[in-house]
Amino acid sequence: MPATLLIDEDFKNLIPPLTDEEFAQLESNILRDGIREPLVIWNGTLLDGHNRFKIAQKLALDFRTTELSFADRNDAIIWIIKNQFGRRNLSAYDRSVLALKLKPAIAAKAKARQVEAGGAIPQKSAKPPIETRQELATVAGVSHDTIAKVEKINAEAPPEIIAALRAGSLSIHAAYMAVKSSSAIDEATAQIQQSLLELRKNTDELLRLLAAAESRKSPAEFRAWCIENFGSDADSIRAGVQNYLDD
């Protein structure tokens, strides 16, 4: 057992935390059987086994480690997340959320692959390009469409919808439709507000025109001018416009 292990908070936070019940069960199993599987490290930094390490420290238990080698930090991140899929019973939503944590790392590898291949026009001998979203879908074992939906849900859904998804009481599609409807309402509201702003500007301009005409004409001439430009209901138009502004 090494004297110390380095804890990288970014690595640690990639892994969904255990519930209190799951942690208690793990601790009970370790008390009975010990820490059977080695903790995985890279350059002295813990990659897998954070909960077991915490329990080992708490109970002063021995443990073994196994060292892995990676080209860079991105490869270590990819390993951490892919390793979780084989170890926990995750829903399609949780798998998608976990896979989306890979997006920066996979996007970086896709960019490096493109540069290696010769830019936007790849060489014939180049490796096939990496399509980030499809790669995420493959890792999560879901469709390309599901990854897109979960990404929108995570960006826009309120906590209640996220909680329902995690509890399994709401499907990804239902959550997506709820978020999409909410987005459509927000967009329509913004358009209405913009239309009202334009109406206000147009109304202000109309009143300025009316005031300018009225100042240069007698009452009879002004009424005749209004009827000529706005029809026989010109007085009610002007009164309505003024009432709108007064409100």
Side-chain angles (χ1 to χ4, degrees):
M1 177 178 71
T4 59
L5 290 179
L6 300 176
I7 303 297
D8 185 303
E9 291 299 323
D10 290 338
F11 288 169
K12 181 180 177 181
N13 292 333
L14 288 171
I15 303 170
L18 297 179
T19 65
D20 291 343
E21 292 78 11
E22 288 172 332
F23 187 86
Q25 183 61 57
L26 177 63
E27 183 171 355
S28 175
N29 293 344
I30 286 175
L31 279 171
R32 184 185 67 239
D33 304 323
I35 300 177
R36 296 181 299 176
E37 295 184 20
L39 279 58
V40 180
I41 61 176
W42 171 55
N43 293 337
T45 299
L46 186 60
L47 297 184
D48 179 63
H50 291 83
N51 292 303
R52 285 172 286 151
F53 181 59
K54 181 178 180 179
I55 292 169
Q57 288 184 307
K58 174 184 175 182
L59 303 177
L61 299 175
D62 289 336
F63 57 87
R64 295 173 293 115
T65 64
T66 184
E67 177 92 21
L68 297 183
S69 177
F70 298 105
D72 55 32
R73 186 178 180 86
N74 277 342
D75 282 350
I77 288 172
I78 291 170
W79 182 89
I80 291 170
I81 292 178
K82 285 186 174 181
N83 184 55
Q84 291 300 304
F85 288 104
R87 303 191 60 178
R88 299 179 66 175
N89 185 21
L90 302 171
S91 68
Y93 173 73
D94 284 331
R95 292 199 309 273
S96 299
V97 170
L98 199 55
L100 281 166
K101 292 184 179 183
L102 284 174
K103 188 174 182 179
I106 290 179
K109 289 180 77 69
K111 185 176 181 179
R113 176 76 61 85
Q114 185 180 38
V115 171
E116 180 184 317
I121 303 177
Q123 302 172 5
K124 290 184 179 181
S125 60
K127 296 177 182 178
I130 297 173
E131 202 288 303
T132 302
R133 186 169 286 174
Q134 186 56 55
E135 184 75 11
L136 296 177
T138 300
V139 169
V142 299
S143 69
H144 179 285
D145 185 55
T146 295
I147 286 291
K149 287 178 178 178
V150 171
E151 190 165 25
K152 183 175 180 66
I153 289 167
N154 284 354
E156 301 179 21
E160 296 79 8
I161 287 182
I162 299 296
L165 277 165
R166 292 197 181 283
S169 57
L170 189 66
S171 70
I172 291 173
H173 179 70
Y176 172 76
M177 293 306 296
V179 170
K180 188 177 179 181
S181 297
S182 178
S183 298
I185 291 171
D186 291 343
E187 183 178 346
T189 300
Q191 290 176 348
I192 291 170
Q193 291 174 339
Q194 181 62 32
S195 297
L196 288 174
L197 180 60
E198 292 299 324
L199 176 60
R200 179 69 187 233
K201 290 179 181 177
N202 293 337
T203 303
D204 287 345
E205 181 61 24
L206 174 58
L207 277 182
R208 281 194 290 272
L209 289 172
L210 289 169
E214 188 173 17
S215 68
R216 295 195 300 269
K217 301 176 186 295
S218 68
E221 290 174 333
F222 176 67
R223 177 168 177 73
W225 179 85
C226 284
I227 292 173
E228 179 183 352
N229 286 276
F230 305 110
S232 59
D233 202 29
D235 286 345
S236 61
I237 291 174
R238 186 171 188 273
V241 168
Q242 186 62 61
N243 288 337
Y244 170 78
L245 288 178
D246 290 342
D247 289 343

